[in-house]
């Protein structure tokens, strides 16, 4: 929202520098984004008088002018303009002057003659024909030909002379304060901030135009829920002409281009009151009847911007007896536009439902200044003053004759909001010690205190909230008003009082943090990828067309086909990042992500309360006097089993890597480190040849006890090539839920062993297909409680071992916690281990 300080001074006289004004307004809650000065780039350009003109001796189209620019003596300027004559007042750019855009003007010679400046057109000053309609567009700007510029003096700064010196303040207005999207609204805020009276104007309309309004115009609002208020007045014998200079200046400063007096009046009132208005050409309102209704399905309307729109029942239109003539709250129709021969005009000032306007503008992709105001919720009590102000301006500008009478349909009367102010409660909330009298004065200058409520009880009093302050509805809102005008900078810093919430990490968050620490310690860098992917990603990781995991949630409004579904696996996202790094010639990339997947719920089979399997439970409940509870429980379980359209949002820890030092066993070590950091028990691995995304001979499942935690291994070479990688990629997918379940108890202190250990080395011969993990599991199974550690130290293959065989050697550490072991006890444990190895794995002592 731009604010002209010249315009603001009409209501509140604030004579402080821009910086001080901006700081004060920001501290009181009206955030200032910046301040600019019109014509700030223009310097050393003044009003000059042409004293004489003579032909340039070396040119047939140039003139040598002697110009009085208020410099004590005439200066010589050479110009090629043909519309200049003696005694004309013109803008003169002196030597060393600057024009908009940073262009500098310096003295020089033009075809051998001195030229000590330049005569300017209005375009060279950053203006256009709408700013000064009387100006000549194709030559030098003759200031003395414009009656609106009478009284100029030679040497006067051009910015001051033509009104190009306003100071414009840009505000960031929050959605809860639509009243501040107006000059009057910001004037109220400035008045309260600087404690200066705000002089608001009550519109006065003389009327007396030909006709009586109810006989000329009829208005209907069948959808009363969408039109809280509709107000209209009529002007006859309209004279379309440019607006006066003062109005054009204010509109320009606020960022609105002048068009003509009638359109400018509607824009002026919208800026001044914050109430959007529209003007219809009465002759195009068929039957003299306006109907504010929902659009018909497929109804067409061409708006003022020349675009045709197809409407539906969610759009609100202004219509006559046969067609729509405007989009309510958004833009008028081209078929009722104000043109040069318009004679009768209907001014519309209405309040529409903000949600309806927002959705309608969004659906058509045409958010306008009016819709931006309506969607925030406007004050229905503002429509009548606004339309009266427009009619007052019509009479002030001599633009027409206002017809007596007002059509004012009030479908919703806002109820006054009265709140009790208890300073003690507000101070307790804010941590302040604001005196009750001071608080009363704050609400008084905000117009929250009625004139007849002057008895001040500093401990408790009542305020009546104005209708334009729809954001104030409870005690906390009053506390905010008290705080911002007492001054946030005046509120002391205090510690929080009372019992505060004890902070800390939840168990789930602690596990998340631990996983991140371990991954980073192992050399992995965290990445974050999008949760939506392309359906083609499942083909790239070689999933079969009938794979059940392909069933994904589709996004209703996707950014594109590549981001149209929610992923059911994080693998394509990781491979895409690895492929990008590979193609960017990064030699090594070790990455991890704790991301989410989105799995559809699988509806469960409904339970039957009469199922014989539930008979025992039902009998027990009946014996406890809880008959009928079984049916309620079954019904609740069935409700939980229904597909409610929501996803199962599971987390997955994904590792991905390639490059120096990365192979299957390095990745396996990382997975083991992750599980050991969580103190998971019984970690073991089993080969996996079923997952199509991984190399069938270099992939394994990860187990903690009997539960599968995840899968890891080398990505299938074809899948890697699908992501643009012709090298080896390694990935791991670990279920976060399974990692949580695998977490072991907190570690307990155990003293160092008091008794020495006994070590034994064994080498067993087994089949090539037997894994070291299976052998180690058999060793632990066969031990009788003395085994403390198992360590692999050799794998041998040779002719003396046999075809298809291998020799695997382990170091066993045996110890008893309460005594020193004897050799016989150790041998007995080793014997049991060897027997188990032979039984479970077919491995015999070498």
């Amino acid at each position: 929202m731009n604010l002209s300080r010249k315009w603001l001074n009409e209501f509140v006289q604030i004579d402080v520098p821009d910086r001080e004004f901006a700081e004060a307004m920001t501290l009181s809650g009206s955030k200032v984004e910046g301040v600019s000065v019109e014509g700030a780039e223009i310097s050393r350009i003044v009003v000059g008088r042409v004293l004489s003109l003579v032909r340039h001796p070396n040119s047939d189209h140039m003139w040598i002018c002697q110009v009085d620019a208020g410099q004590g003596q005439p200066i010589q300027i050479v110009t090629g303009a043909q519309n200049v004559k003696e005694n004309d007042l013109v803008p003169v750019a002196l030597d060393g002057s600057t024009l908009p855009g940073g262009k500098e003007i310096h003295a020089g010679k033009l075809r051998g003659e001195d030229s000590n400046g330049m005569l300017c057109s209005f375009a060279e000053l950053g203006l256009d024909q709408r700013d000064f309609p009387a100006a000549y567009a194709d030559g030098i700007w003759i200031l003395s030909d414009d009656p609106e510029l009478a009284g100029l003096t030679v040497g006067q700064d051009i910015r001051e002379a033509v009104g190009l010196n306003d100071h414009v303040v840009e505000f960031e207005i929050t959605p809860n304060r639509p009243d501040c999207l107006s000059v009057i609204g910001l004037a109220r805020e400035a008045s309260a901030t600087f404690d200066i009276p705000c002089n608001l104007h009550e519109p006065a309309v003389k009327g007396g135009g030909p006709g009586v309004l109810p006989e000329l115009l009829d208005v209907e609002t069948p959808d009363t829920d969408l039109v809280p208020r509709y107000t209209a007045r009529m002007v006859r014998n309209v004279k379309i002409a440019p607006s006066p200079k003062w109005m054009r200046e204010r509109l320009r400063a606020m960022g609105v281009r002048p068009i003509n007096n009638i359109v400018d009046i509607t824009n002026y009132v919208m800026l001044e009151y914050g109430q959007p208005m529209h003007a219809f050409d009465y002759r195009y309102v068929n039957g003299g009847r306006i109907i504010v209704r929902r659009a018909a399905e497929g109804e067409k309307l061409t708006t003022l911007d020349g675009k045709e729109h197809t409407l539906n029942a969610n759009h609100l239109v202004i219509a006559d007896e046969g067609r729509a003539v405007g989009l309510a709250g958004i833009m008028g129709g081209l078929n009722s536009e104000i043109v040069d021969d318009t004679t009768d005009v209907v001014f519309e000032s209405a309040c529409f439902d903000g949600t309806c306007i927002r959705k309608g503008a969004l659906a058509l992709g045409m958010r306008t200044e009016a819709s931006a105001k309506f969607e925030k919720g406007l004050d229905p009590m503002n429509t009548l003053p606004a339309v009266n102000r427009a009619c007052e301006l019509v009479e002030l500008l001599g633009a027409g004759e206002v017809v007596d009478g007002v059509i004012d349909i009030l479908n919703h009367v806002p109820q006054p909001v009265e709140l009790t102010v208890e300073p003690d409660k507000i101070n307790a909330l804010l941590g302040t010690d604001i005196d009750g009298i001071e608080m009363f004065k704050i609400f008084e200058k905000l117009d929250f205190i009625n004139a007849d409520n002057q008895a001040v009880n500093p401990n408790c009093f009542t305020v009546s909230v104005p209708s334009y302050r729809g954001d104030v509805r409870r005690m906390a809102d009053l506390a905010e008003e008290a705080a911002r005008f007492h001054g946030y900078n005046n509120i002391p810093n205090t510690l929080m009082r009372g019992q505060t919430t004890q902070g800390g990490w939840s168990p789930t968050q602690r596990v998340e943090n631990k996983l991140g620490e371990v991954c980073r310690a192992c050399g992995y860098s965290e990445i974050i990828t999008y949760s939506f992917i392309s359906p083609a990603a499942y083909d790239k990781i070689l999933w079969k067309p009938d794979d059940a995991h392909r069933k994904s949630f589709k996004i209703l409004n996707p950014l594109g086909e590549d981001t149209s579904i929610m992923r059911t696996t994080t693998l394509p996202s990781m491979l895409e990042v690895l492929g990008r790094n590979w193609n960017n010639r990064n030699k090594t990339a070790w990455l991890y992500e704790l991301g989410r997947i989105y799995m559809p719920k699988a509806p469960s089979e409904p339970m039957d309360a009469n199922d014989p399997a539930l008979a025992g439970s039902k009998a027990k409940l009946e014996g406890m006097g809880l008959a009928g509870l079984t049916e309620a429980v079954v019904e609740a379980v069935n409700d939980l089993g229904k597909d409610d359209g929501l996803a199962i949002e599971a987390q997955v820890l994904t590792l991905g890597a390639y490059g120096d030092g990365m192979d299957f066993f390095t990745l396996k070590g990382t997975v083991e480190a992750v599980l050991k950091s969580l103190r998971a028990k019984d970690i073991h691995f089993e080969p996996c040849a079923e997952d199509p995304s991984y190399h069938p001979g270099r992939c394994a499942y990860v187990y903690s006890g009997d539960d599968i935690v995840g899968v890891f291994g080398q990505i299938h070479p074809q899948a890697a090539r699908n992501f643009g990688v012709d090298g080896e990629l390694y990935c791991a997918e670990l279920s976060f839920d399974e990692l949580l379940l695998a977490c072991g108890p907190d570690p307990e202190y155990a003293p160092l062993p008091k008794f020495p250990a006994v070590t034994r080395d064994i080498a067993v011969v087994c089949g090539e297909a037997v894994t070291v993990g299976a052998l180690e599991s058999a060793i632990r199974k066969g031990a009788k409680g003395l085994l403390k550690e198992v360590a692999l130290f050799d794998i041998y293959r040779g002719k003396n071992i046999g075809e298809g065989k291998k020799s695997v050697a382990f170091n066993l550490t045996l110890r008893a916690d309460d005594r020193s072991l004897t050799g016989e006890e150790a041998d007995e444990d080793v014997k049991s281990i060897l027997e188990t190895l032979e039984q479970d794995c077919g491995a015999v002592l070498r």
Side-chain angles (χ1 to χ4, degrees):
M1 171 70 187
N2 290 339
L3 175 66
S4 160
R5 290 201 62 184
K6 283 186 178 180
W7 198 344
L8 176 67
N9 283 340
E10 179 181 324
F11 303 106
V12 186
Q13 288 288 337
I14 301 175
D15 298 321
V16 298
D18 290 338
R19 182 183 182 87
E20 184 178 338
F21 177 80
E23 289 178 352
M25 293 295 287
T26 299
L27 284 175
S28 68
S30 302
K31 184 183 177 185
V32 174
E33 289 289 299
V35 180
S36 60
V37 181
E38 283 189 306
E41 293 181 301
I42 298 175
S43 67
R44 288 182 56 79
I45 300 180
V46 298
V47 176
R49 184 182 298 279
V50 179
L51 301 178
S52 64
L53 296 94
V54 296
R55 285 285 186 183
H56 194 296
N58 300 317
S59 172
D60 58 357
H61 71 281
M62 301 183 78
W63 298 86
I64 300 175
C65 306
Q66 300 298 321
V67 180
D68 180 6
Q71 305 299 303
Q73 58 183 4
I75 60 174
Q76 179 171 301
I77 295 177
V78 177
T79 181
Q82 304 301 309
N83 65 318
V84 181
K85 57 186 182 299
E86 290 184 3
N87 290 320
D88 280 347
L89 293 179
V90 295
V92 179
L94 303 174
D95 182 24
S97 60
T98 56
L99 297 174
K103 182 179 180 180
E104 297 184 3
I105 304 298
H106 295 285
K109 289 183 179 291
L110 288 176
R111 297 199 178 183
E113 296 293 333
D114 291 334
S115 183
N116 297 308
M118 184 180 77
L119 307 185
C120 302
S121 66
F122 62 76
E124 289 169 324
L125 298 178
L127 302 170
D128 62 28
Q129 193 79 53
R130 290 188 178 90
D131 294 312
F132 290 91
Y136 180 58
D138 298 322
I140 300 302
W141 187 6
I142 310 300
L143 303 174
S144 50
D145 286 352
D146 192 337
E148 291 186 315
L149 296 177
L152 301 183
T153 60
V154 172
Q156 185 180 6
D157 187 282
I158 194 66
R159 295 171 55 220
E160 178 188 352
V162 301
L164 193 61
N165 59 347
D166 201 349
H167 292 229
V168 180
V169 184
E170 181 184 357
F171 286 89
E172 178 187 332
I173 306 301
T174 53
N176 67 317
R177 292 299 306 274
D179 60 299
C180 287
L181 292 171
S182 65
V183 177
I184 289 178
L186 289 172
R188 292 191 184 107
E189 290 292 303
S191 170
T193 299
F194 291 93
D195 202 11
I196 298 173
C198 183
N199 301 311
L200 297 182
H201 171 69
E202 185 70 27
V205 182
K206 298 176 182 177
V212 180
L213 189 55
E215 298 177 359
L216 297 171
L217 185 67
D218 182 34
V219 177
E220 294 181 15
T221 57
D223 297 298
T224 57
D225 57 324
L226 301 181
V227 190
R229 190 172 190 178
Y230 191 94
T231 309
R233 293 200 71 162
M234 188 170 173
V235 178
R236 309 199 74 178
N237 299 323
V238 168
K239 304 176 183 64
I240 302 297
S243 301
K245 177 174 174 288
W246 62 268
M247 180 176 284
R248 299 197 306 269
E249 284 181 8
R250 291 185 176 184
L251 292 176
R252 183 182 66 234
M254 301 283 280
V256 177
R257 65 175 189 175
I259 297 176
N260 59 51
N261 51 4
I262 299 299
V263 176
D264 290 353
I265 284 172
T266 62
N267 288 331
Y268 188 92
V269 173
M270 180 178 69
L271 294 172
E272 187 174 50
Y273 280 76
Q275 172 62 49
M277 292 190 61
H278 187 63
F280 300 101
D281 192 327
Y282 175 70
R283 61 184 163 176
Y284 298 123
V285 179
N286 295 334
R289 189 179 181 196
I290 290 178
I291 306 171
V292 187
R293 58 171 174 81
R294 294 179 184 270
E297 287 291 338
E299 186 172 2
K300 305 285 187 180
L301 174 65
T302 302
T303 48
L304 289 172
D305 56 4
K307 297 179 181 179
E308 184 181 66
H309 302 280
T310 301
L311 310 180
N312 56 45
N314 293 323
H315 295 108
L316 190 66
V317 297
I318 311 298
D320 56 22
E321 289 183 337
R323 57 176 183 169
V325 295
L327 271 172
I330 302 175
M331 187 179 290
L334 192 63
N335 53 20
S336 61
E337 181 184 16
I338 302 298
V339 292
D340 290 344
D341 63 345
T342 296
T343 56
D344 297 329
V345 167
V346 176
F347 280 122
E348 167 197 282
S349 176
C351 182
F352 303 115
D353 178 69
T355 302
C356 176
I357 300 303
R358 180 181 62 82
K359 289 182 177 180
L362 182 64
L364 297 174
M366 53 182 305
R367 193 168 186 265
T368 62
E369 184 79 14
S371 69
K373 286 181 166 61
F374 277 118
E375 69 186 24
K376 295 175 177 62
L378 297 183
D379 176 17
M381 308 309 291
N382 199 31
T383 62
L384 184 58
V387 77
N388 285 336
R389 174 60 168 161
C391 292
E392 180 186 45
L393 289 171
V394 167
E395 293 179 341
L396 179 65
L397 273 55
E401 301 175 48
V402 179
V403 175
D404 289 333
V406 179
I407 293 178
D408 189 17
I409 300 176
L410 189 58
N411 294 318
H412 171 70
V413 181
Q415 297 302 311
V417 176
E418 293 190 350
L419 300 174
T420 300
V421 179
E422 297 177 84
D424 289 343
K425 288 186 177 181
I426 291 179
N427 283 324
L429 178 64
L430 298 177
T432 57
D433 190 20
I434 305 174
D435 182 76
I437 299 298
E438 180 187 350
M439 209 171 287
F440 181 90
K441 291 180 178 178
I442 288 174
F443 292 118
E444 187 176 35
K445 64 185 180 182
L446 286 171
D447 289 333
F448 281 26
I449 305 295
N450 293 329
D452 58 350
N453 185 17
Q454 294 299 321
V456 181
N457 178 359
N459 298 319
C460 182
F461 55 90
T462 301
V463 297
S464 180
V465 181
S467 61
Y468 56 81
R469 289 302 305 272
D471 60 309
V472 179
R473 287 296 178 266
R474 54 189 60 85
M475 188 272 285
D477 300 326
L478 295 175
E480 181 184 1
E481 299 301 304
R484 67 193 187 99
F485 287 106
H486 173 70
Y488 290 115
N489 54 324
N490 295 323
I491 298 178
N493 296 325
T494 58
L495 294 175
M496 296 174 65
R497 287 179 272 179
Q499 182 64 36
T500 59
T501 303
Q502 299 297 318
W505 301 106
S506 68
T508 301
Q509 290 172 325
R510 284 197 292 270
V511 173
E512 290 177 351
N513 294 340
K514 174 59 70 176
L515 294 178
E517 291 174 4
V518 174
C519 291
R520 291 189 293 272
C522 291
Y524 292 77
S525 299
E526 184 176 14
I527 62 171
I528 300 176
T529 59
Y530 290 120
S531 296
F532 30 82
I533 61 174
S534 168
Y538 298 144
D539 297 325
K540 296 174 73 174
I541 60 173
L542 308 181
W543 279 6
K544 295 179 181 179
D546 58 349
D547 195 313
H549 291 91
R550 282 178 174 262
K551 185 179 179 182
S552 307
F553 284 95
K554 295 182 180 180
I555 300 175
L556 295 178
N557 55 340
L559 299 174
E561 180 65 21
D562 290 343
T563 54
S564 60
I565 62 172
M566 303 301 292
R567 65 188 179 189
T568 61
T569 173
T570 55
L571 189 60
S573 303
M574 176 60 74
L575 292 177
E576 183 181 349
V577 177
L578 290 175
R580 191 180 309 125
N581 278 270
W582 176 278
N583 290 307
N584 286 340
R585 301 184 181 277
N586 290 334
K587 295 181 179 180
T588 301
W590 291 22
L591 309 172
Y592 82 93
E593 178 186 19
L594 188 59
R596 292 191 180 275
I597 59 174
Y598 302 82
M599 304 294 296
K601 292 181 179 178
S604 59
E605 290 293 329
M607 295 177 62
D608 185 357
N610 297 317
D611 192 329
L614 298 176
S617 300
K618 192 172 183 179
K620 287 181 180 180
L621 291 172
E622 289 176 352
M624 299 168 62
L626 299 175
L629 186 58
T630 305
E631 287 79 1
V633 171
V634 169
E635 184 179 354
V637 171
N638 288 337
D639 286 340
L640 290 174
K642 293 178 181 177
D643 185 3
D644 55 4
L646 301 178
I648 300 174
E649 300 185 20
Q651 282 185 282
V652 177
L653 175 63
T654 312
L655 304 173
Y658 69 82
D660 296 340
M662 177 51 61
D663 56 22
F664 177 86
F665 295 103
T666 302
L667 183 60
K668 177 174 177 284
T670 302
V671 173
E672 287 180 315
V674 167
L675 288 165
K676 288 180 179 178
S677 71
L678 302 178
R679 298 177 296 281
K681 300 295 184 182
D682 191 15
I683 305 169
H684 58 281
F685 306 89
E686 292 186 8
C688 168
E690 300 82 22
D691 195 317
S693 303
Y694 290 87
H695 193 297
R698 301 178 185 176
C699 179
Y701 289 121
V702 187
Y703 282 84
S704 175
D706 295 331
D707 298 325
I708 296 180
V709 176
V711 64
F712 74 95
Q714 181 186 337
I715 295 299
H716 196 289
Q718 181 57 50
R721 285 192 291 271
N722 289 342
F723 287 91
V725 179
D726 56 4
E728 296 181 359
L729 299 180
Y730 294 89
C731 287
E733 300 170 79
L734 307 178
S735 168
F736 182 75
D737 291 336
E738 292 297 335
L739 289 173
L740 277 177
L741 294 174
C743 288
D746 292 337
E748 297 181 0
Y749 170 75
L752 293 174
K754 297 179 180 180
F755 301 97
V758 175
T759 60
R760 290 287 189 270
D761 291 342
I762 61 172
V764 294
V765 177
C766 62
E768 188 67 52
V770 179
T771 64
V772 173
L775 294 172
E776 185 175 335
S777 296
I779 291 172
R780 294 187 183 279
K781 178 181 176 182
K784 295 183 176 182
L786 300 177
L787 183 67
K788 299 299 181 183
E789 294 181 12
V790 181
L792 171 73
F793 69 86
D794 183 57
I795 299 177
Y796 174 75
R797 298 176 179 85
K799 294 180 180 179
N800 55 336
I801 299 299
E803 188 70 25
K805 299 285 186 178
K806 64 182 176 182
S807 171
V808 184
F810 295 94
N811 176 262
L812 310 179
T813 301
L814 307 166
R815 181 190 297 113
D817 296 331
D818 57 350
R819 67 189 185 280
S820 294
L821 287 181
T822 65
E824 291 77 9
E825 290 177 310
D827 292 340
E828 187 67 25
D829 240 38
V830 172
K831 181 181 177 182
S832 175
I833 289 171
L834 291 174
E835 289 175 354
T836 306
L837 283 170
E838 185 173 3
Q839 292 173 4
D840 292 357
C841 303
V844 297
L845 189 66
R846 179 180 170 186

